[in-house]
């Protein structure tokens, strides 16, 4: 019988890998020790900021620290802290279940997101929704989706480090309010800003990182997967790892002992 999940997997082009991964699905997940980097003394007090986040962003961390969801959203709507505000139609705060166990973090809004005010609603978003469905998840149900920057970089370019740093206090507070069990960094911009590393996705995926006490996995960005079909197999492995890790986290298992 063809199940809805089979259909989704077929659409994703994942069927052959699913069958292959069925063989390897049940050995313990190869979780290596936490590899996150602790901030060095003197670093700004943010897990999501780079070296540029000094004064202005530092002050905003103080201002956002006590905000609730609605206050934070209003602050993002009104924000002009970096140059990206000038060409946005609207800022894109984030979407989903404010009590979610899952937090997915992308790069920044594209054209459709800028128009609709919601993350991942374009082509990459449709793939993301299918990726979520393939492991039994749905946007808005136990899942929250946010981006490193809340305003669209012109031409969909990668956000500059200074822009990411200015925006970091908002993501920081979203993480603080949500307190997710698991963070999934989608692509290099999210991974490099969250983990403060220049390492490739290939070298970061497949192990659990420590985002100041919250487990974090890295996988490919859906927009990248749309262009690089052969890496969908690896994304599928990452999703399975995330699903299994979440099961362990919900069961209260110590993931570092796996
Ligand atoms: N790509 C992202 O990183 N985020 C979005 O919201 C849309 C596309
Ligand atoms: Fe403010 Fe972030 Fe938008 Fe820049 S990208 S204007 S820091 S909300």
């Amino acid at each position: 019988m063809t199940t809805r999940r089979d259909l989704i997997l077929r659409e994703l082009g994942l069927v052959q890998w699913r069958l292959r991964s069925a063989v390897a699905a049940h050995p313990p997940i190869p979780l290596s020790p936490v590899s996150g980097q602790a901030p060095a003394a003197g670093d700004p007090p943010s897990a999501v900021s780079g070296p540029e986040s000094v004064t202005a962003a530092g002050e905003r961390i103080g201002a956002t620290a006590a905000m609730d969801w609605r206050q934070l959203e209003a602050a993002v709507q009104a924000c002009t802290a970096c140059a990206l505000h000038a060409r946005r139609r609207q800022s894109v705060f984030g979407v989903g279940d404010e009590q979610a166990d899952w937090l997915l973090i992308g790069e920044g809004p594209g054209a459709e997101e800028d128009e609709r005010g919601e993350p991942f609603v374009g082509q990459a978003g449709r793939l993301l929704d299918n990726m979520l469905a393939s492991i039994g998840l749905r946007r808005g149900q136990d899942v929250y989706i946010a981006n490193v920057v809340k305003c669209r970089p012109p031409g969909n370019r990668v956000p500059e480090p200074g822009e990411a740093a200015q925006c970091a206090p908002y993501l920081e507070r979203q993480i603080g309010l949500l307190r997710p069990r698991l963070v999934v960094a989608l692509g290099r911009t999210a991974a490099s800003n969250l983990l403060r590393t220049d390492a490739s996705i290939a070298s970061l995926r497949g192990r659990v990182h420590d985002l100041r006490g919250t487990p974090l996995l890295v996988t490919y960005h859906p927009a990248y997967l749309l262009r690089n079909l052969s890496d969908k197999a690896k994304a599928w492995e990452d999703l399975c790892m995330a699903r299994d890790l979440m099961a362990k986290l919900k069961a209260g298992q110590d993931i570092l002992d796996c």
Side-chain angles (χ1 to χ4, degrees), residues 64-87:
T64 53
M67 288 182 185
D68 64 21
W69 281 105
R70 300 290 75 82
Q71 291 167 332
L72 190 66
E73 187 164 6
V76 167
Q77 303 301 282
C79 182
T80 56
C82 85
L84 295 181
H85 83 274
R87 290 171 66 183

Side-chain angles (χ1 to χ4, degrees), residues 31 182-186 204-209 215-219 238 241-243 245:
L31 302 182
L182 177 61
V183 175
V184 180
L186 301 166
L204 294 171
R205 57 179 289 277
R207 59 202 163 100
V208 184
H209 302 266
L216 178 146
L217 293 179
V218 172
T219 190
D238 297 339
M241 181 175 179
R243 179 198 58 194
L245 179 56

Side-chain angles (χ1 to χ4, degrees), residues 16 19 25 44-45 55 65 99-100 127 131-132 155 193 198 210 216 221 243 250 254 258:
Q16 64 272 41
L19 295 176
T55 42
Q99 261 109 46
L127 178 55
M131 291 165 72
L132 288 172
N193 280 283
D198 288 332
D210 179 4
L216 178 146
H221 192 286
R243 179 198 58 194
K250 287 190 175 179
D254 183 348
C258 295

Side-chain angles (χ1 to χ4, degrees), residues 95-212:
V95 70
D97 178 351
E98 291 169 1
Q99 261 109 46
D101 288 325
W102 294 81
L103 171 60
L104 275 58
I105 302 176
E107 179 175 296
E112 289 188 60
E113 290 77 20
D114 178 64
E115 197 159 311
R116 288 179 46 194
E118 182 173 334
F120 284 102
V121 290
Q123 211 192 351
R126 285 188 284 282
L127 178 55
L128 181 63
D129 284 339
N130 285 339
M131 291 165 72
L132 288 172
S134 73
I135 53 166
L137 294 174
R138 266 179 94 119
R139 174 185 296 249
Q141 285 181 8
D142 205 22
V143 177
Y144 194 89
I145 305 174
N147 281 311
V148 168
V149 291
K150 314 303 190 200
C151 304
R152 182 190 180 202
N156 295 344
R157 65 163 170 74
V158 173
E160 287 171 6
E163 294 160 351
Q166 288 302 324
C167 215
Y170 301 125
L171 183 55
E172 179 86 354
R173 182 64 184 148
Q174 285 175 308
I175 295 170
L177 284 166
L178 194 63
R179 298 202 292 122
R181 283 188 207 260
L182 177 61
V183 175
V184 180
L186 301 166
R188 188 140 184 192
T189 300
S192 64
N193 280 283
L194 290 161
L195 297 174
R196 299 185 189 183
T197 174
D198 288 332
S200 66
I201 298 295
S203 67
L204 294 171
R205 57 179 289 277
R207 59 202 163 100
V208 184
H209 302 266
D210 179 4
L211 183 67
R212 293 195 311 175

